[in-house]
Amino acid sequence: AIARVDYEPVLGTVIGASAYGATSGNTLKSTVGRVPVGLFDVDARFHKKGFSARVEFALLLIGDAGKLNRALLSGTPEQQTAGPVASQARGGYAEVGYDLLRLLAPGSEHALNAFTRFDYADTQAGMPTGFAPRLEFRRYSQMVGLVYKPITQIALKVDFRRHWLGNDEAFDEFASAI
């Protein structure tokens, strides 16, 4: 089952929420059965003049994760390396940006958006009793970049990202996209 609702209290502001519920079609049906899965999301977007902001938070719940992990541990070598599966994963981001061409070239139909974004994701945020999370799956990143839009349907993007992992590793990345 899937549900989504959006609310627009004022022009340029949208607040939404969605939910998904189902059971997984796993290969361990004989020992685990169907595993219930639920995904919940809240998000908001704001745009006024050249300023924009977006936030989102998502929560994934996996039922019977302990039973699933025990079945994986007694399975094939490939199944053993697949775990542990979390009972909860979560993540989100917050982003703000501004169209610099509103200041530099008023009236231009092009856009040059400078932005910064903070991301968080932890795919093993909640673990069943007896299973420890793998800290490298807890990730944070800070990003700064530019997006040039010669027309609304085309975006040329470049950004710099700093990543931190829950196991105290960190690294930098440059990215670009069309």
Side-chain angles (χ1 to χ4, degrees):
I2 300 172
R4 170 88 184 160
V5 64
D6 282 325
Y7 172 62
E8 190 170 352
V10 295
L11 187 63
T13 301
V14 178
I15 301 166
S18 59
Y20 167 84
T23 56
S24 73
N26 67 71
T27 59
L28 300 168
K29 287 182 193 150
S30 62
T31 55
V32 179
R34 292 200 173 270
V35 175
V37 176
L39 179 60
F40 306 92
D41 163 85
V42 292
D43 58 88
R45 298 175 304 281
F46 173 79
H47 189 279
K48 186 169 185 175
K49 299 185 179 179
F51 178 76
S52 63
R54 301 186 302 174
V55 296
E56 181 175 15
F57 178 77
L59 175 67
L60 172 67
L61 302 173
I62 301 172
D64 296 330
K67 188 176 181 182
L68 177 59
N69 281 316
R70 288 186 291 280
L72 287 170
L73 284 174
S74 62
T76 66
E78 183 180 66
Q79 290 171 331
Q80 291 172 11
T81 60
V85 174
S87 56
Q88 183 184 122
R90 59 181 169 242
Y93 71 89
E95 178 179 300
V96 294
Y98 188 77
D99 180 3
L100 299 174
L101 290 183
R102 291 185 66 89
L103 298 173
L104 302 173
S108 173
E109 295 195 17
H110 299 227
L112 180 62
N113 296 307
F115 71 94
T116 186
R117 177 179 176 143
F118 178 78
D119 291 316
Y120 160 74
D122 190 347
T123 58
Q124 294 194 337
M127 297 300 293
T129 303
F131 294 92
R134 293 177 55 190
L135 296 178
E136 67 268 25
F137 293 145
R138 182 178 306 140
R139 299 177 299 275
Y140 304 88
S141 65
Q142 177 68 48
M143 181 184 319
V144 293
L146 292 170
V147 179
Y148 173 63
K149 292 184 176 183
I151 61 174
T152 306
Q153 298 84 356
I154 296 177
L156 306 169
K157 179 181 176 185
V158 62
D159 61 61
F160 170 77
R161 304 170 187 187
R162 176 72 175 162
H163 300 277
W164 299 270
L165 306 179
N167 61 355
D168 294 328
E169 290 182 36
F171 62 94
D172 296 330
E173 174 183 29
F174 283 99
S176 61
I178 296 177

